[in-house]
Amino acid sequence: MKVVLLGTAAGGGFPRWNCACARCSAARDGKLPARTQECAAVSGNSRDWWLLNASPDLRTQLNATPALAPGPGGTPVRGVLLTDAEPHHVTGLTGLYGAPGLKIYASPPVLAALSPLHLFLERHAPWEWEDSFTEGGFVLAGGLVVSARALGSRAPGHIPGAADDRWVTAYRIEDLASGGVLVYAPRLGEWTPALDELIAGATGVLLGGTLYAAGETDTPVRAARGRTASWHLPVSGADGSLAALTRHPGPRVVYTHFASANPLLDPATDAYASVTAAGAEIPLDGAEFVL
């Protein structure tokens, strides 16, 4: 199984357009690598590729990735697996219009929230919209088997949806040929038993690292108002994701979805050194790995 990290920043990217913090300023000056908004791609055969979320930067990300370039037979992209309905994970769908037969997998509340997009997108080419919580999981072209698990009931702020614990989900993606297993969970509010079940036996984990420590803010607006992004599970601390991962010593651990306040964006920080010393990876946009 091949995995490409198309983007590794949280919503707004890095640097954020309206932020003049020290890290965003350093990124503008070329002292830190810029990052596009979180999105990845996975393939079991290097021919059929599936996007994991669809960021607003998707067109740029696709054009920067040779494996995803179209050929005489059309695009190798077969569809998208969505973990939630946050704008920075779904608005890239609008840039994929015109490619017939794409399959979009998402949980029932996310599919319902995206229903207004269907008419616009299907004026250009028909797509298939599939429930990612279908019993027994589902099979993707290229030899991948996928199952979804609920991770949170937090609906996006712009959607007045009914309560549903499937607003935020994670995927377990297994390559039948190689035996590689990827767990994809870029948004985390808390560590749940469902996540432990997904990670058990996995060979790779692509995990949300939005905040390094509790109390950090994820947007300049929140910072100006003195508010913290309490929903996001931090990487560090006794209750953080890195501590929880000690129960799973086997898989390769890769962090993604970094907010602009996160010190993990800077390789010179103690935070970066502590996470990498623990064996976790903090890759840049465009990184590829094989499971």
Side-chain angles (χ1 to χ4, degrees):
M1 185 192 322
K2 290 187 177 180
V3 183
V4 180
L5 303 186
L6 302 178
T8 55
F14 179 71
R16 293 183 63 93
W17 73 274
N18 61 340
C19 183
C21 72
R23 290 193 183 90
C24 285
S25 297
R28 288 192 186 91
D29 292 340
K31 297 175 182 177
L32 289 177
R35 297 171 183 260
T36 58
Q37 294 168 93
E38 192 277 325
C39 185
V42 61
S43 177
N45 60 6
S46 300
R47 296 186 303 276
D48 301 291
W49 286 89
W50 295 86
L51 301 179
L52 306 177
N53 286 328
S55 89
D57 303 314
L58 187 55
R59 178 182 177 277
T60 298
Q61 293 167 340
L62 292 175
N63 285 333
T65 309
L68 300 179
T75 176
V77 175
R78 304 294 175 238
V80 186
L81 281 62
L82 300 173
T83 59
D84 52 73
E86 292 291 342
H88 65 286
H89 280 161
V90 302
T91 52
L93 292 175
T94 61
L96 296 176
Y97 72 87
L102 294 185
K103 290 187 176 182
I104 312 300
Y105 289 92
S107 68
V110 172
L111 288 174
L114 296 179
S115 59
L117 274 178
H118 294 194
L119 180 60
F120 162 73
L121 292 169
E122 299 208 357
R123 287 181 57 193
H124 301 276
W127 286 6
E128 299 178 37
W129 301 80
E130 305 286 349
D131 181 358
S132 59
F133 277 81
T134 184
E135 186 174 355
F138 52 96
V139 179
L140 301 177
L144 302 177
V145 177
V146 183
S147 58
R149 293 289 186 277
L151 287 189
S153 58
R154 182 185 173 98
H158 64 284
I159 298 175
D164 194 308
D165 65 0
R166 297 168 297 178
W167 274 113
V168 180
T169 63
Y171 292 103
R172 181 182 172 98
I173 306 171
E174 181 176 359
D175 183 347
L176 295 178
S178 70
V181 177
L182 173 70
V183 173
Y184 177 63
R187 290 191 69 224
L188 289 175
E190 60 180 342
W191 196 278
T192 67
L195 194 52
D196 277 315
E197 292 176 8
L198 282 181
I199 294 176
T203 53
V205 180
L206 187 51
L207 202 63
T210 310
L211 308 179
Y212 174 69
E216 287 176 1
T217 56
D218 63 345
T219 70
V221 172
R222 285 183 179 272
R225 295 176 180 175
R227 296 167 58 191
T228 61
S230 59
W231 186 84
H232 294 288
L233 180 71
V235 173
S236 66
D239 298 321
S241 60
L242 197 60
L245 284 164
T246 60
R247 300 195 294 271
H248 305 280
R252 181 175 186 174
V253 176
V254 179
Y255 277 106
T256 188
H257 200 269
F258 304 107
S260 57
N262 195 326
L264 297 180
L265 292 167
D266 185 351
T269 60
D270 291 340
Y272 188 101
S274 67
V275 171
T276 54
E281 301 175 41
I282 306 170
L284 299 173
D285 288 14
E288 302 182 17
F289 56 93
V290 177
L291 298 175

